[in-house]
Amino acid sequence: MGEAYFYHMTRTPLEDTLPVLLGRAREQGWRVVVRGRNEARLRWLDEKLWMGDGFLPHGISGGPHDDDQPILLTTGTATADCVVSMDGAEVAPDEVGEAARVMILFDGNDDGAVERAREQWRTMTGAKVVAKYWSQETGRWQLKAESGG
């Protein structure tokens, strides 16, 4: 059974935080699905990932090789060892049980994003999912809360 990690971004934006987390997930040998809420935002992220410092092999869903992508950007669901939710994309508690890790990233400078993350936290902990809340308010990631499941 996996765990849900909530990342409260206050110092670095998604385009800087996500590549680091994706790199760590790939170091574990995990196939990753990054789930967003709209195609335009995924295309924006696709550009950011290609233009970054390191190479993160990835693709946007809808192509003939979706199942072969080490990192798949999608608005839907796909089988993966690690599911990353951005922009408040839905993640069901049972997905945590099927994955090694679920990551929920949210912008701490956006009140709507914070409230959506709180809803997701309540959903996960209410379903007895192991959840950990990480914040970067001090400049580095620190574990601030956890729910034992």
Side-chain angles (χ1 to χ4, degrees):
M1 176 159 215
E3 297 178 334
Y5 281 25
F6 288 73
Y7 290 96
H8 188 169
M9 299 176 295
T10 56
R11 301 223 176 202
T12 57
L14 177 72
E15 63 267 25
D16 293 337
T17 302
L18 186 58
V20 173
L21 296 174
L22 291 175
R24 290 183 184 158
R26 291 296 303 144
E27 287 171 3
Q28 296 294 317
W30 293 341
R31 179 172 192 262
V32 182
V33 166
V34 177
R35 186 176 301 149
R37 295 177 77 170
N38 70 63
E39 296 291 334
R41 181 82 159 145
L42 291 176
R43 285 191 300 276
W44 168 85
L45 180 59
D46 176 51
E47 275 188 41
K48 296 294 182 185
L49 291 176
W50 283 119
M51 294 169 35
D53 292 336
F55 176 69
L56 289 168
H58 71 280
I60 295 180
S61 67
H65 305 290
D66 285 1
D67 291 339
D68 298 325
Q69 295 293 344
I71 300 170
L72 183 67
L73 311 179
T74 185
T75 57
T77 60
T79 303
D81 303 302
C82 179
V83 177
V84 179
S85 165
M86 60 180 244
D87 300 337
E90 187 67 36
V91 180
D94 63 331
E95 288 181 273
V96 180
E98 297 167 2
R101 174 88 30 89
V102 167
M103 299 181 202
I104 298 172
L105 282 65
F106 62 101
D107 183 350
N109 301 307
D110 178 335
D111 292 339
V114 171
E115 183 53 39
R116 174 68 179 131
R118 287 181 179 143
E119 291 170 12
Q120 290 176 300
W121 176 269
R122 287 190 294 269
T123 297
M124 293 297 176
T125 58
K128 305 296 185 213
V129 168
V130 174
K132 296 182 179 183
Y133 166 70
W134 296 86
S135 174
Q136 64 178 172
E137 66 190 359
T138 63
R140 51 186 286 265
W141 290 106
Q142 292 181 317
L143 180 63
K144 295 294 211 169
E146 58 186 305
S147 171

